[in-house]
Amino acid sequence: MAKAYEKIADELRAQIRAGQLEPGDRLPSEADLIKSSGRSGPTVQQALRVLQAEGLIEKQHGRGTFVRRPRTLVQRTNMRHQWEKDRARAPEQKRLETGSTEHDTGLGVNDLVFHAAYREIEAPKEIAAAMGVDEGTALVERTYRTRYNAERNPFSLVTSHLIRDVVKGNPDLLDETKEPWPGGTWNQLLTVGIEIDRIEDRVTARPPTVEEAEELGLPPGTSVLVLRKTSYDTDNRIVEMSDVTLPGDRTEMLFTTHLERW
Amino acid sequence: MAKAYEKIADELRAQIRAGQLEPGDRLPSEADLIKSSGRSGPTVQQALRVLQAEGLIEKQHGRGTFVRRPRTLVQRTNMRHQWEKDRARAPEQKRLETGSTEHDTGLGVNDLVFHAAYREIEAPKEIAAAMGVDEGTALVERTYRTRYNAERNPFSLVTSHLIRDVVKGNPDLLDETKEPWPGGTWNQLLTVGIEIDRIEDRVTARPPTVEEAEELGLPPGTSVLVLRKTSYDTDNRIVEMSDVTLPGDRTEMLFTTHLERW
DNA sequence: GAGTGGTCTAGACCACTGT
DNA sequence: CAGTGGTCTAGACCACTCC
């Protein structure tokens, strides 16, 4: 006994996969589906909800229901790590020219809008454990939002943590008005004598929280990539840790691993 | 004017985040919520659906609605690539002992169950483009399922593509009954004189398709990590490409990037 | 104003779980 | 059997989009 809403969903899904309904096409209106299926409104709506949760369709209030366009625009690579390290020691003129986000996106500085906020906090349990410090250790927490000039919503949410005692040698590092800092965090760390040796990127996926969906402007039926980036210095200490939330449907992360030759 | 279902969802979400409702706790029954909120059944259900889509709660038919337990069990690292390469040239006895999945999970061969199937196909457009070959090129498509002995559902779905002409020198590579092959794909490639030079891992996230949700046993309100692994040989040719689907809520991918010293 | 999706009601009956 | 969530009906009214 197939459930009524599943039957409706299956039919529409088959049409989308077969290409009878192409990305951008409008689906039959709910009223049409009610008539053609002989089912009630809520049943038809449940069928559409299923497809929406699969990321196949997108509802637009007052306009109709449409087949979603796949999109993967922003690529984020681990080559950026070496690039960022090199840039940290470049002359200031060069450092001013471009940031790591422009490196990823291939855009100029003027196409992007940054916002940064700093505050000092005491390390909560989870952060302390991940950074290998005691709970309550003084940290500098920095949050960043980056968006395209032409768009309303940012395409990444970043929260970065530094250990206060490690960076206090340069008071500018505690001052958010110095952002954007030419040469980025790595140049900041260089000013207090820190060299980064390796990066660990931890990636998981989950549905967005309401707050993330709101800030990133994510429609229902999308996932976020959650990236925790941990930076180790040449003494094998964790000197920075960032949590990055990225929209799953427009981000591709690329990691290249070179292997030893035989 | 706050929507009724949002108000109910907000209240429950606040209780979960505050820890008044802990992971594993049962939420009030729908009947209770109908009474306490003064709203109708469908409205209460919509509130619960919202929380389910956020991955916060889990409904169990006939038992109740529960706060979901966070879980991240399987870790998959890019160190495995070098490890796999080294293993490919190890003596057969050593190669028999363990596979790359055991390497990731830290388990023995007997804790895991593998299933492999081979077939020959003509490269469809998308695959051909990604592998840099002509559409219609003869490929060997291999699908793998790996699961814990104790569990019903696999924790990864793998589809791997090899170029038929590249591997035809060893007929065993076209025979699925030879699986599991000691030393894995890389040893297979070694038998036809191929050495892997670098790996590219591309990661995105999205909600599961119905088929993926079914096979992986994913509850509503979870995402999948989609990994496309491309292997380049020492002549910079693509010799293998795998598409891997992993449950987002129990997988963590770890990529380590070592940087050049100053 | 016509057409679309969004929210909501007040029920009914079914399917699954545990005692 | 009682209690739970799952499905479904037949409507009502609201909010948004586009002409």
Side-chain angles (χ1 to χ4, degrees), chain A residues 42-57:
Chain A
T43 300
V44 165
Q45 282 167 29
Q46 181 161 4
L48 294 177
R49 242 197 331 267
V50 168
L51 299 177
Q52 194 175 32
E54 289 169 22
L56 278 176
I57 63 170

Side-chain angles (χ1 to χ4, degrees), chain B residues 3-5 39-40 42-43 46 61-63:
Chain B
K3 280 158 264 181
Y5 74 92
R39 295 299 180 162
S40 72
T43 301
Q46 182 161 4
H61 197 163
R63 300 216 321 122

Side-chain angles (χ1 to χ4, degrees), chain A residues 3-5 38-40 42-43 46 61-63:
Chain A
K3 281 158 260 179
Y5 75 92
R39 297 296 179 165
S40 72
T43 300
Q46 181 161 4
H61 196 163
R63 300 217 320 123

Side-chain angles (χ1 to χ4, degrees), chain B residues 242-256:
Chain B
S242 299
D243 289 303
V244 187
T245 305
L246 300 156
D249 66 336
R250 59 183 295 185
T251 307
E252 179 180 88
M253 310 209 349
L254 169 61
F255 294 94
T256 305

Side-chain angles (χ1 to χ4, degrees), chain A residues 99-236:
Chain A
S100 46
T101 306
E102 291 89 348
H103 180 244
D104 281 349
T105 55
L107 294 170
V109 179
N110 296 328
D111 298 321
L112 296 169
V113 183
F114 295 91
H115 174 73
Y118 286 24
R119 66 185 182 120
E120 296 198 17
I121 62 166
E122 294 185 354
K125 197 169 172 186
E126 197 274 329
I127 302 280
M131 293 189 75
V133 300
D134 291 329
E135 201 174 332
T137 303
L139 302 179
V140 183
E141 180 178 274
R142 307 175 301 165
T143 61
Y144 297 91
R145 299 290 178 269
T146 312
R147 64 175 174 83
Y148 290 113
N149 212 323
E151 293 182 6
R152 224 179 84 262
N153 298 103
F155 56 81
S156 76
L157 312 176
V158 183
T159 306
S160 164
H161 291 100
L162 295 167
I163 298 165
R164 198 190 178 291
D165 280 355
V166 172
V167 296
K168 70 176 175 202
N170 183 346
D172 285 350
L173 303 190
L174 309 176
D175 181 357
E176 70 188 19
T177 66
K178 303 288 182 185
E179 288 279 353
W181 186 287
T185 301
W186 298 39
N187 182 269
Q188 293 180 334
L189 291 171
L190 175 59
T191 67
V192 290
I194 289 172
E195 175 183 354
I196 306 291
D197 177 58
R198 72 175 200 279
I199 301 290
E200 288 183 356
D201 288 304
R202 284 182 174 72
V203 182
T204 59
R206 56 167 172 75
T209 64
V210 266
E211 291 83 359
E212 289 166 344
E214 163 73 22
E215 256 200 290
L216 294 171
L218 298 175
T222 52
S223 301
V224 293
L225 276 166
V226 182
L227 167 68
R228 168 162 285 183
K229 187 188 89 176
T230 315
S231 305
Y232 292 80
D233 74 356
T234 48
D235 295 329
N236 206 33

Side-chain angles (χ1 to χ4, degrees), chain B residues 12-118:
Chain B
L12 291 168
R13 190 188 300 111
Q15 285 181 40
I16 292 170
R17 289 193 178 167
Q20 289 167 42
L21 286 168
E22 292 180 30
D25 282 0
R26 218 192 74 185
L27 270 65
S29 76
E30 295 188 2
D32 287 348
L33 289 170
I34 290 166
K35 260 177 283 183
S36 67
S37 67
R39 295 299 180 162
S40 72
T43 301
V44 165
Q45 282 167 29
Q46 182 161 4
L48 294 177
R49 242 196 334 264
V50 168
L51 299 176
Q52 194 176 30
E54 289 169 24
L56 277 176
I57 64 171
E58 182 173 357
K59 292 182 164 195
Q60 293 183 29
H61 197 163
R63 300 216 321 122
T65 305
F66 300 83
V67 180
R68 186 111 138 254
R69 294 193 157 81
R71 53 176 194 157
T72 298
L73 299 174
V74 180
Q75 195 179 66
R76 185 190 162 103
T77 80
N78 69 335
M79 257 102 92
R80 75 188 267 147
H81 298 324
Q82 184 64 52
W83 182 90
E84 266 191 288
K85 176 161 181 173
D86 294 342
R87 188 181 60 132
R89 284 206 308 180
E92 174 156 13
Q93 185 50 47
K94 181 115 184 124
R95 280 186 275 125
L96 278 168
E97 282 169 17
T98 186
S100 46
T101 307
E102 292 87 348
H103 179 243
D104 281 349
T105 55
L107 295 170
V109 178
N110 295 330
D111 299 320
L112 295 170
V113 183
F114 295 91
H115 175 72
Y118 286 25

Side-chain angles (χ1 to χ4, degrees), chain B residues 130-199:
Chain B
M131 292 187 78
V133 299
D134 290 330
E135 202 175 332
T137 303
L139 302 178
V140 183
E141 180 178 272
R142 308 175 301 165
T143 61
Y144 297 92
R145 299 290 178 270
T146 312
R147 64 175 173 85
Y148 290 114
N149 210 324
E151 293 181 4
R152 222 177 87 262
N153 297 103
F155 55 81
S156 76
L157 312 176
V158 182
T159 306
S160 165
H161 291 100
L162 295 168
I163 298 165
R164 199 190 176 287
D165 279 354
V166 172
V167 296
K168 69 176 174 203
N170 183 347
D172 285 352
L173 302 191
L174 307 177
D175 180 358
E176 70 188 19
T177 65
K178 302 287 181 185
E179 289 278 350
W181 185 288
T185 301
W186 299 40
N187 182 268
Q188 294 179 334
L189 292 171
L190 175 57
T191 67
V192 291
I194 289 173
E195 175 183 353
I196 307 289
D197 176 58
R198 71 175 201 281
I199 301 291

